[in-house]
Amino acid sequence: MTDVSTRTDGRAPRIVAFGGGHGLYATLSAARRLSSDVTAVVTVADDGGSSGRLRNELGMIPPGDLRMALAALAAQTPDVQSWTETVQHRFGGSGALAGHSVGNLILAGLTEVLGDPIAALDTLARLLQVEGRVLPMSTQALQIEADVVGLETDPRVSRCIRGQVAVATTPGKVRRVRLLPADPPACPDALAALATADLAILGPGSWFSSVIPHVLIPELLDGLMRTSARKVLVLNLAPEPGETAGFSAERHLHVLCQHAPGFRVDHVVVDSASVPAGRERDHLCRAARQLGAEVVYADVAEDGSHKHHAAKLADVLALLAERHRQAGPATGRDDIERAAERTVGGRESASWR
């Protein structure tokens, strides 16, 4: 693996990763291999399961995705790992605690005791010896509202549905999503981290409920537009049942552009096997140009699964971070491709289109 954990100026790259759930967990598992200076910025619109219950009963931001991000960045020493397993443990049975994660309850308790969700996250992070930070994208709980077609007899008729779970599991086709309230405040600490970042990573994850919400907060979108960080969009390995069923890789980019006109990224990372060579790649390249992006094809999947392989994804991110560090003609497209072929390996190491 290419090691960019120590730069020539003696500083590890500052990485900010945006998302939620298992997608963000995968990104953080890769990013932590490159740097100890990693900030996770997490969606706060979940309304299902343990998170939804605590949100409704206590009026707090949903803790589940935040808990998972903390677990992804937790120290990997045996003593801390026992704490991480406990934080991730979910109660069984059929009583009042059934389905709750221990970490969700700890965050709920810390938030009430300290009176501040950020302080609660930082406190649990210290217990887990997290070297970076985990932050919510907003300090208030948000709702997702979507326009969906295919739920009525007339397939052209659109219905408005509300709630992250409803959007993620709809049998219809999601056309557009919104946040409620429409102009929520961004977490100030998240904006500060983005302002000094070297690498900003968006995705993978549930496209409409974990990825796109970040560009629907005006302050956060403005921060993403202004940052000097190299911006990387990591595409999902396959469409998700429900919100993106039947989506091509190209379609994922189109809907992002529709929700954030003028948004730009530098690179779109795509697993080589998920988009066959030929017409599909040509279409994806054209869609990427709408974002001002180059497409990076690399073997980033775990064999036989729809999960990102942390080490393989880290190799690709390392090359992009190094390219940002050099920021000069010495690291051109051909240099990156050759380096990727040396370090990533796999069925098609990397190519630039």
Side-chain angles (χ1 to χ4, degrees):
M1 185 183 78
T2 300
D3 182 6
V4 295
S5 59
T6 303
R7 297 156 41 117
T8 55
D9 60 7
R11 177 175 64 79
R14 299 188 182 106
I15 301 175
V16 181
F18 301 85
H22 295 284
L24 181 59
Y25 190 99
T27 302
L28 296 175
S29 298
R32 67 174 298 161
R33 293 169 175 259
L34 312 183
S35 175
S36 59
D37 193 346
V38 179
T39 300
V41 181
V42 185
T43 52
V44 288
D46 192 4
D47 61 355
S50 171
S51 288
R53 289 160 61 187
L54 292 171
R55 169 181 177 157
N56 292 333
E57 292 174 18
L58 302 178
M60 65 181 294
I61 58 175
D65 287 354
L66 295 159
R67 181 203 79 245
M68 285 189 65
L70 286 168
L73 294 176
Q76 296 181 328
T77 57
D79 56 335
V80 174
Q81 280 298 293
S82 65
W83 273 112
T84 305
E85 291 174 12
T86 301
V87 163
Q88 290 282 70
H89 176 72
R90 196 175 295 274
F91 289 104
S94 57
L97 290 178
H100 276 303
S101 294
V102 173
N104 289 1
L105 298 177
I106 292 174
L107 284 172
L110 284 170
T111 300
E112 288 202 347
V113 170
L114 301 175
D116 178 9
I118 306 300
L121 287 163
D122 288 343
T123 299
L124 186 52
R126 286 193 293 273
L127 175 67
L128 298 177
Q129 296 181 25
V130 171
E131 292 186 304
R133 288 190 87 188
V134 173
L135 300 167
M137 67 179 186
S138 176
T139 53
Q140 69 179 84
L142 305 175
Q143 278 197 323
I144 294 177
E145 185 177 78
D147 296 327
V148 180
V149 297
L151 299 178
E152 308 291 347
T153 304
D154 186 340
R156 298 168 298 178
V157 174
S158 175
R159 184 196 296 181
C160 179
I161 64 174
R162 182 175 296 181
Q164 183 269 334
V165 173
V167 173
T169 60
T170 180
K173 293 184 179 181
V174 179
R175 295 302 191 196
R176 195 167 189 89
V177 292
R178 296 173 290 278
L179 290 180
L180 300 176
D183 188 8
C187 173
D189 287 4
L191 294 174
L194 181 57
T196 60
D198 299 304
L199 194 65
I201 308 167
L202 188 63
S206 299
W207 212 244
F208 285 107
S209 53
S210 290
V211 177
I212 287 177
H214 290 282
V215 299
L216 299 182
I217 296 182
E219 288 180 313
L220 202 52
L221 176 59
D222 184 65
L224 282 164
M225 298 283 277
R226 292 175 179 271
T227 184
S228 61
R230 187 164 292 268
K231 288 175 283 189
V232 179
L233 179 67
V234 182
L235 280 192
N236 294 341
L237 299 173
E240 283 194 305
E243 54 182 83
T244 57
F247 272 37
S248 63
E250 172 196 7
R251 180 63 180 156
H252 282 78
L253 300 191
H254 282 316
V255 296
L256 177 60
C257 290
Q258 290 166 3
H259 284 81
F263 180 54
R264 295 290 181 267
V265 300
D266 297 292
H267 308 290
V268 178
V269 175
V270 183
D271 180 64
S272 306
S274 67
V275 181
R279 183 173 297 179
E280 281 192 51
R281 291 197 178 186
D282 293 338
H283 292 167
L284 179 59
C285 182
R286 285 195 291 271
R289 282 199 292 267
Q290 288 185 272
L291 292 164
E294 295 175 316
V295 179
V296 182
Y297 294 103
D299 174 12
V300 292
E302 290 187 10
D303 293 338
S305 78
H306 291 316
K307 297 179 180 180
H308 283 82
H309 189 286
K312 292 177 181 180
L313 181 57
D315 283 336
V316 176
L317 296 176
L319 293 169
L320 300 180
E322 180 66 9
R323 189 180 187 188
H324 175 73
R325 185 190 68 78
Q326 294 185 4
T331 310
R333 186 176 302 184
D334 292 340
D335 299 314
I336 294 296
E337 182 170 348
R338 284 194 295 271
E341 289 171 350
R342 288 195 301 271
T343 60
V344 179
R347 50 188 178 269
E348 180 182 346
S349 296
S351 58
W352 300 77
R353 297 289 185 266

